[in-house]
Amino acid sequence: MTLRVQILKDKFSQSLGLPFKELLPESVIRLAILELKIKYKKRLFDPLVTLWAF
């Protein structure tokens, strides 16, 4: 494993909350949802939270 991968792995394993929120901003997700014309109901785990949690 490269040093860069190890650093990211360590950072994510020690982070609290949703680690991918920093890498995948809400604006990018919302733009993709609009462009793809995806419809969803407002839920506790909407597409934003679901993607960030993965």
Side-chain angles (χ1 to χ4, degrees), residues 4-54:
R4 187 173 183 179
V5 172
Q6 185 64 44
I7 290 170
L8 284 173
K9 184 179 172 187
D10 292 343
K11 180 180 177 183
F12 288 142
S13 67
Q14 295 171 2
S15 68
L16 298 173
L18 303 169
F20 287 106
K21 189 173 183 178
E22 295 175 18
L23 297 176
L24 192 56
E26 181 176 344
S27 60
V28 173
I29 297 171
R30 292 207 183 274
L31 181 61
I33 288 172
L34 287 173
E35 287 178 0
L36 296 172
K37 298 177 184 173
I38 296 172
K39 294 182 181 182
Y40 65 93
K41 294 181 181 181
K42 191 68 174 174
R43 303 279 193 218
L44 179 61
F45 299 113
D46 63 3
L48 296 169
V49 175
T50 302
L51 286 171
W52 290 333
F54 263 106

